[in-house]
Amino acid sequence: MARNRRRRLGAWLLALLVLAVVLALYEADRTGVSEPSAGSCPDSALQCPGTSPAPGPTPTPTPSADPSATGSPSPSATAAPSSSATPSPGTGGAPTTGPCSSPGACGFPDPHTTGPRIALERHDTGNMSVKTDGTVIKGWDIRGSLDVYANDVTIIDSRITSTNWWGINLRPGYSGLRVLHTTITAVPGKGPDNGGVDYAVSNMGGSSIEVGWCDISVFGNALSMGQGELHDNYVHDIVAFRNQGGEWQHTDAVISGGGNKGRLTIRHNTLLNPVPVEQGASAAIGLFADTGSVSSVVVDGNWLAGGAYALYGGGPGATGIQVTDNVFSAQYHPNGGAYGLVAAWNAGGAGNVWHGNHTADGRPVVPEPTS
């Protein structure tokens, strides 16, 4: 009798043990402990756990060219990253002294730290207008461009291949655009400006926009705006082209035409302009007084190379320009740019600061006095 009870007790204990193992495996699978999914990637992260840093477009069945057939972007209160969730731009990476061999080796943005972090789904949108406030576009491989007529739009973890004037354009009267962890490129020879394409991201609005952790190439004036937060981007392989007037288009990795009312912050980016000067190269960063005086610009901790000059500093009327801890590279020209490192720096302008800037081999950079 006692022996039978011991056998039943042993059987019950074995059954309970098997049940516990099954429940543990089920819970691990349900919560994703074994392998995080692409959708679990935090919007503020530089890299998703368990994925390669910047995957290219994933081949998927080609949908209809009608944007409605691929599913249109929709407003989302939960998918958009909050400002508090995004790390402070430019934290770490920019050395203040000593030699630096290359952008990636010295902590500056490169292909491994920029662009989408998740697999993408192809969307043949063409030149699409976004007109709904709060729209979030995430995980799209877009063949087309985005013209934004809405507030608080977020494009994140996506790729845009444009044949339009721009990749992303914010129209006047709208605000709150954020472009994060996205590749923005174009098809050389297919753009409307005599085969060229002008702006990867253009801010025609009246407020600041954010562009961060993006991989940007081809466009003549890649990041065009008078105000915004540009951080942790990799701008490279700008392509020269003649504009509709038959002249070489001026090219800049970042360009501001002056007259801005808000602040432009350019922090911890790799900004490369390989275009030959005889084919229109202007600068890696061009602060020009085309539409008014340049003011309230922070240029901090960037890697700069190429152009006629690597940096145009705003000219005689520029004020409130802070240029600090940038690295000027000779990877295209011995003097940083074809003609030199810096031009149009107004040393006597109110609030202008020049500090801690040096060449990639560690030599201090001191602007020549303006005449």
Side-chain angles (χ1 to χ4, degrees):
M1 192 72 177
R3 183 179 299 170
N4 290 337
R5 282 199 299 271
R6 285 196 297 272
R7 287 177 178 172
R8 286 196 296 270
L9 180 60
W12 277 108
L13 290 174
L14 180 60
L16 288 172
L17 179 61
V18 171
L19 180 60
V21 171
V22 171
L23 288 174
L25 291 173
Y26 171 78
E27 182 66 16
D29 181 68
R30 186 181 68 85
T31 58
V33 171
S34 58
E35 181 178 355
S37 66
S40 68
C41 182
D43 289 338
S44 60
L46 280 173
Q47 181 177 338
C48 295
T51 64
S52 59
T58 300
T60 56
T62 304
S64 165
D66 180 0
S68 64
T70 65
S72 59
S74 60
S76 170
T78 58
S82 65
S83 297
S84 61
T86 304
S88 299
T91 53
T96 56
T97 59
C100 201
S101 59
S102 68
C106 297
F108 291 92
D110 66 6
H112 302 292
T113 59
T114 56
R117 305 161 296 172
I118 61 176
L120 306 180
E121 177 184 357
R122 179 162 170 168
H123 289 256
D124 291 322
T125 65
N127 301 325
M128 187 175 77
S129 295
V130 179
K131 297 185 176 181
T132 303
D133 289 352
T135 294
V136 175
I137 295 175
K138 183 172 185 177
W140 284 28
D141 181 4
I142 295 171
R143 307 306 167 95
S145 63
L146 299 176
D147 205 2
V148 180
Y149 295 84
N151 298 310
D152 302 319
V153 171
T154 297
I155 298 102
I156 185 168
D157 287 316
S158 295
R159 177 184 174 91
I160 295 172
T161 305
S162 175
T163 56
N164 199 1
W165 296 94
W166 55 77
I168 302 168
N169 183 40
L170 179 66
R171 289 288 179 170
Y174 300 96
S175 63
L177 175 65
R178 305 182 77 200
V179 185
L180 308 174
H181 301 286
T182 291
T183 294
I184 310 169
T185 190
V187 182
K190 298 295 184 180
D193 195 357
N194 200 30
V197 284
D198 291 83
Y199 313 111
V201 182
S202 173
N203 182 9
M204 299 173 67
S207 72
S208 179
I209 70 176
E210 181 183 3
V211 183
W213 303 292
C214 290
D215 183 320
I216 299 168
S217 61
V218 178
F219 292 90
N221 286 309
L223 297 171
S224 174
M225 62 197 69
Q227 51 198 11
E229 297 283 339
L230 310 179
H231 64 87
D232 302 286
N233 301 293
Y234 173 50
V235 182
H236 60 102
D237 294 309
I238 292 173
V239 175
F241 67 92
R242 296 183 187 271
N243 60 27
Q244 289 183 334
E247 302 170 334
W248 287 107
Q249 166 74 28
H250 285 202
T251 62
D252 303 89
V254 175
I255 185 171
S256 174
N260 53 300
K261 297 180 180 179
R263 179 178 294 276
L264 175 62
T265 300
I266 308 165
R267 177 171 284 129
H268 195 236
N269 304 277
T270 298
L271 303 174
L272 310 179
N273 187 348
V275 175
V277 69
E278 63 271 16
Q279 294 183 357
S282 291
I285 297 178
L287 307 179
F288 302 114
D290 294 335
T291 58
S293 297
V294 181
S295 62
S296 300
V297 180
V298 173
V299 180
D300 176 60
N302 302 280
W303 176 284
L304 309 177
Y309 289 89
L311 172 68
Y312 279 85
T319 58
I321 314 299
Q322 302 175 36
V323 182
T324 56
D325 298 329
N326 298 281
V327 176
F328 290 77
S329 168
Q331 73 185 87
Y332 302 119
H333 307 285
N335 293 321
Y339 303 138
L341 297 167
V342 186
W345 173 250
N346 180 17
N352 290 351
V353 175
W354 185 278
H355 176 74
N357 303 291
H358 60 91
T359 61
D361 60 4
R363 293 174 290 116
V365 174
V366 180
E368 295 181 2
T370 55
S371 57

